[in-house]
Amino acid sequence: MALKHEPTAPYHSAQDALRVLETVARHSTGITEADLARHTGLGPERLAALLRWLRREGYVEQVTDGVYVTGDVLRRLGSAHDREQALRDRLQRTLDRLRDSLGAAVYLSRYVDGEVRVAQYAAGPTTPVVNEWVDFRSSAHATAIGKSLLAQLDHDSRREHLSRHRPARLTSRTITSDKLLLSRLAAQPPTAPALDLQEYAVGTVCAAVPATAGSAVGCLALSLPVEDAHRLRRAADTLNRNAAPVLLSLTI
């Protein structure tokens, strides 16, 4: 499988934040902001914004004389007996926070071994999860999640996926033409959300944005009842702007 992934702004933010964390971690007795700038090559405004974010997320702490050390979150992840579970817990808290701020169910999905998988999600009584009436693995052509993931693959990988999962008509809005679907996936800008406007299920609209770390293709998505469709694009933009904490957790 080859990727057509073009880094988005949240991806760059996560990568810059990781450089800062790696530099802080190498200095066990702490490091000043000036030395961080020298080691990372980041400008003062960019570095200051990243440090505010990392402090808020608990990844770094500021001690005496403006010196930065690793924060409690990073220490817990590093010493956790079950690192995978610790990361899942961290991601779940981030997804829960996004659900509450967006007023929508939120999903973290990955493309693993040629299949669409919802890794984690956050939903609630007022933000219900999408009813998976057709397996997400066989309906990538109709879902925002599936289209976002497929858009990050190269043309041959998309064709191979569609040869295994033939596009079926799920609603009157579902695209079933391979040619049309492949054309739209090729034209999908990396910074624009993939949309599902009642293509998977009548009464539900969805949006998804890339959340890819390294070679693992992923996306963040949200779903809303069709009555709230007017909120979809703004919510998707907010989701995209807040993807960096998820990307950082996936990268660490």
Side-chain angles (χ1 to χ4, degrees):
M1 178 186 71
L3 306 186
K4 192 205 74 168
H5 174 63
E6 298 178 48
T8 58
Y11 176 87
H12 287 302
S13 293
Q15 290 300 305
D16 287 347
L18 187 62
R19 284 162 62 192
V20 173
L21 287 180
E22 289 173 340
T23 304
V24 172
R26 286 199 301 269
H27 294 77
S28 57
T29 58
I31 183 171
T32 65
E33 192 165 337
D35 285 338
L36 272 171
R38 182 167 55 81
H39 283 287
T40 61
L42 295 169
E45 291 186 7
R46 176 65 169 161
L47 179 58
L50 286 169
L51 286 171
R52 284 194 299 271
W53 170 42
L54 292 170
R55 288 176 65 188
R56 187 171 62 248
E57 295 289 324
Y59 285 110
V60 300
E61 296 173 4
Q62 188 178 30
V63 292
T64 57
D65 300 324
V67 170
Y68 288 89
V69 296
T70 54
D72 184 55
V73 167
L74 201 59
R75 289 193 294 270
R76 285 204 306 269
L77 288 174
S79 62
H81 174 68
D82 189 342
R83 179 179 171 80
E84 184 175 341
Q85 185 60 49
L87 286 172
R88 283 185 63 84
D89 292 345
R90 178 70 184 167
L91 283 167
Q92 191 61 50
R93 285 192 291 272
T94 302
L95 294 178
D96 290 345
R97 191 169 62 210
L98 284 170
R99 172 202 60 203
D100 295 342
S101 65
L102 295 169
V106 178
Y107 313 77
L108 173 62
S109 300
R110 312 294 293 275
Y111 194 75
V112 181
D113 297 331
E115 302 293 352
V116 173
R117 296 184 183 176
V118 176
Q120 290 178 244
Y121 66 89
T126 60
T127 53
V129 70
V130 173
N131 174 32
E132 191 178 351
W133 74 284
V134 176
D135 195 319
F136 287 148
R137 289 175 297 180
S138 58
S139 56
H141 65 290
T143 65
I145 286 173
K147 286 187 282 185
S148 178
L149 295 174
L150 291 178
Q152 296 177 64
L153 307 181
D154 67 4
H155 180 76
D156 289 343
S157 297
R158 294 175 197 147
R159 287 182 62 88
E160 192 277 331
H161 180 94
L162 295 176
S163 72
R164 290 184 288 109
H165 298 292
R166 301 299 306 159
R169 186 171 301 282
L170 305 182
T171 76
S172 62
R173 294 172 176 264
T174 308
I175 298 173
T176 57
S177 163
D178 283 17
K179 184 177 180 181
L180 178 57
L181 181 61
L182 288 168
S183 174
R184 292 194 177 180
L185 290 172
Q188 174 73 23
T191 56
L195 302 178
D196 161 16
L197 304 177
Q198 301 189 87
E199 297 166 55
Y200 173 75
V202 174
T204 301
V205 294
C206 305
V209 297
T212 292
S215 61
V217 177
C219 72
L220 274 173
L222 64 90
S223 63
L224 290 167
V226 71
E227 308 88 71
D228 291 335
H230 62 282
R231 295 204 292 118
L232 185 64
R233 286 191 180 272
R234 180 177 294 181
D237 289 341
T238 302
L239 187 69
N240 195 31
R241 288 196 303 271
N242 288 275
V246 175
L247 286 169
L248 183 59
S249 295
L250 292 173
T251 307
I252 290 176

